[in-house]
Amino acid sequence: MAAPKPIGRLISHVILDLDGTLLNTDSIVSRVVKPFLVKNGKTWDSKNAHKLVGKTPYEAAAVVLEDYGLPYSTEEFLSMVTPMFSEQWGNIKPLPGANRLIKHLRSKGVPTALASNSPRSNIEAKISCHHEWKESFSAIVGGDEVENGKPSPDIFLEAAKRMNTGPSNCLVIEDSLPGVTAGKAAGMHVIAVPSVPKKTAEFSSADEVINSLLDVRPEKWGLPPFDDWIEGTLPIEPWFISGPVIKGFGRGSKVLGIPTANLPAENFSDVVSEHTSGVYFGWAGLSTRGIYKMVMSIGWNPYFDNTEKTVEPWLLHDFGEDFYGEELRLAIVGYIRPEANFPSLESLIQRIHEDGRIAEKALDLPVYAKYKDSPYLRKPLQQANSSDGQAELNSK
């Protein structure tokens, strides 16, 4: 996560991108395009998905047609998939921190615009499914309302114009390189929140690069700060996962001296994909032993350069023995920090222990301690799933 570059004046207005910044649109893209390709004898390659980020619908369609050699014109392709996308707009989930950021800016009276390469009608359809989103924006600008989409600055300049302010007063938050380029070309300050993992280095033109919207610090830009951090931790809407403890990379105890209890990621890959990488904490239930405090990492672990997104919980208790195969259920209730790389193994180990101390102390606070009594943590594995945890959460 890159530190923000110094600014010469305070920011008064914010402009947000939509797809990939506020909404997890990537899951919908694969849900629509993947079966379409199968019907045409092609196989979806998720490694090429980053080529679609930040593109207008027309540009994205052209990329898909070229990459997969489909026998359609761009117009024909769009006419076939657009209705399929429209059916999915209501299923797009907000990215972590999106609701919190929008609510904060509105409550503090910060004029905020929404500026997306998507057509205005698509934007309206997407945000209509999210409570009070539309009312939170002073202006909404779609890609069909300006001459050129991103990376041209037109959308952002139009957004500033509609808010009756100058470009230098505006802070743009974007997930794509075309969006960052557009914001800088408009003469605005830009925070990049890359939606494609392990691509931070490509966003050097941004004024700040962060891991997720959970890491936005408005006070760095002269805007009102969040007031929900508690002793270095951020309460989040709890989420729940479970599975048998398996052998991991063999580096927890052997390399780090920190025994992690790894879970089979394929059991809950959809759930993990909805949550940003970083360091979290909460409660862990072992079927035959009890309930313990835990801290965990989600992500690619930059120091070891994982190729897959993993979940690695560390139960804050000295067991003295392995417990492979035992049922483990996790209630994740708080966030500590973004995923980060470290210059040395020693500095990584030091930071993990610091995360453990933060979690150990925070879990005694009432806002987190109440989840220790969650029935989800005590259920047999075959009866415990994330929907059970969500049902319990909804009843609180």
Side-chain angles (χ1 to χ4, degrees), residues 14-19 22 56-57 112-124 126-127 134 137-150 152-164 170 174 188:
V14 174
I15 306 177
L16 302 172
D17 173 53
L18 181 62
D19 300 311
L22 297 178
T56 65
T112 304
L114 189 61
S116 169
N117 264 347
S118 293
R120 175 65 180 264
S121 59
N122 288 2
I123 296 173
E124 297 276 2
K126 293 172 187 175
I127 66 175
K134 184 175 181 178
F137 298 112
S138 304
I140 299 175
V141 186
D144 56 343
E145 297 182 275
V146 294
E147 185 173 350
N148 299 297
K150 307 167 191 177
S152 163
D154 294 7
I155 287 179
F156 291 131
L157 292 174
E158 179 63 23
K161 180 180 177 182
R162 294 186 188 183
M163 290 193 292
N164 298 311
C170 297
E174 262 282 358
M188 300 177 180

Side-chain angles (χ1 to χ4, degrees), residues 66-395:
E66 181 178 354
D67 280 358
Y68 294 96
L70 297 173
Y72 307 109
S73 68
T74 303
E75 290 77 10
E76 289 172 335
F77 177 73
L78 285 173
S79 69
M80 289 184 281
V81 300
T82 297
M84 299 163 66
F85 274 109
S86 297
E87 293 175 358
Q88 296 291 337
W89 293 153
N91 297 324
I92 306 178
K93 295 183 179 181
L95 284 161
N99 280 318
R100 171 178 174 256
L101 177 61
I102 292 171
K103 182 179 179 180
H104 174 74
L105 294 173
R106 184 182 185 186
S107 68
K108 299 302 181 181
V110 179
T112 304
L114 189 61
S116 169
N117 264 347
S118 293
R120 175 65 180 264
S121 59
N122 288 2
I123 296 173
E124 297 276 2
K126 293 172 187 175
I127 66 175
S128 67
C129 303
H130 301 281
H131 183 59
E132 294 187 347
W133 275 29
K134 184 175 181 178
E135 296 81 2
S136 298
F137 298 112
S138 304
I140 299 175
V141 186
D144 56 343
E145 297 182 275
V146 294
E147 185 173 350
N148 299 297
K150 307 167 191 177
S152 163
D154 294 7
I155 287 179
F156 291 131
L157 292 174
E158 179 63 23
K161 180 180 177 182
R162 294 186 188 183
M163 290 193 292
N164 298 311
T165 191
S168 63
N169 296 328
C170 297
L171 175 65
V172 170
I173 302 181
E174 262 282 358
D175 75 296
S176 72
L177 201 53
V180 170
T181 301
K184 295 305 297 180
M188 300 177 180
H189 303 285
V190 180
I191 296 177
V193 194
S195 56
V196 180
K198 305 170 76 170
K199 296 288 184 181
T200 300
E202 298 180 7
F203 289 81
S204 58
S205 62
D207 296 284
E208 183 182 15
V209 182
I210 60 176
N211 189 59
S212 79
L213 294 179
L214 296 176
D215 304 310
V216 174
R217 297 286 186 164
E219 65 273 19
K220 293 180 179 179
W221 305 95
L223 296 170
F226 286 107
D227 54 11
D228 50 358
W229 284 86
I230 306 172
E231 296 189 15
T233 66
L234 176 65
I236 61 173
E237 181 176 320
W239 52 287
F240 307 83
I241 56 176
S242 59
V245 177
I246 62 173
K247 289 191 176 183
F249 298 98
R251 64 191 179 210
S253 297
K254 295 178 182 177
V255 178
L256 300 173
I258 299 169
T260 55
N262 295 282
L263 296 175
E266 62 271 14
N267 288 11
F268 42 80
S269 57
D270 289 344
V271 176
V272 172
S273 69
E274 296 174 5
H275 296 274
T276 184
S277 60
V279 177
Y280 298 78
F281 64 95
W283 296 99
L286 279 170
S287 56
T288 62
R289 299 171 187 263
I291 296 176
Y292 306 91
K293 295 176 178 179
M294 71 88 190
V295 63
M296 66 183 237
S297 67
I298 302 176
W300 289 265
N301 202 323
Y303 184 83
F304 293 102
D305 196 24
N306 291 358
T307 57
E308 299 292 337
K309 194 173 185 179
T310 61
V311 174
E312 299 182 42
W314 175 27
L315 277 60
L316 302 175
H317 180 81
D318 183 10
F319 291 94
E321 60 182 349
D322 293 328
F323 41 87
Y324 296 126
E326 290 198 34
E327 302 167 4
L328 175 65
R329 295 164 301 286
L330 303 177
I332 299 93
V333 301
Y335 175 77
I336 295 177
R337 63 174 177 86
E339 188 175 46
N341 203 349
F342 292 87
S344 67
L345 184 62
E346 291 73 20
S347 59
L348 169 61
I349 294 172
Q350 183 179 11
R351 184 64 233 231
I352 293 174
H353 280 285
E354 176 63 17
D355 294 332
R357 286 189 290 271
I358 291 172
E360 181 93 39
K361 182 179 180 182
L363 285 165
D364 289 331
L365 298 172
V367 67
Y368 301 123
K370 62 183 179 182
Y371 292 102
K372 183 179 181 180
D373 297 324
S374 167
Y376 175 86
L377 295 173
R378 293 178 169 82
K379 285 184 178 180
L381 180 60
Q382 61 270 25
Q383 297 177 21
N385 56 57
S386 59
S387 60
D388 292 335
Q390 188 60 47
E392 176 197 346
L393 174 62
N394 293 339
S395 69

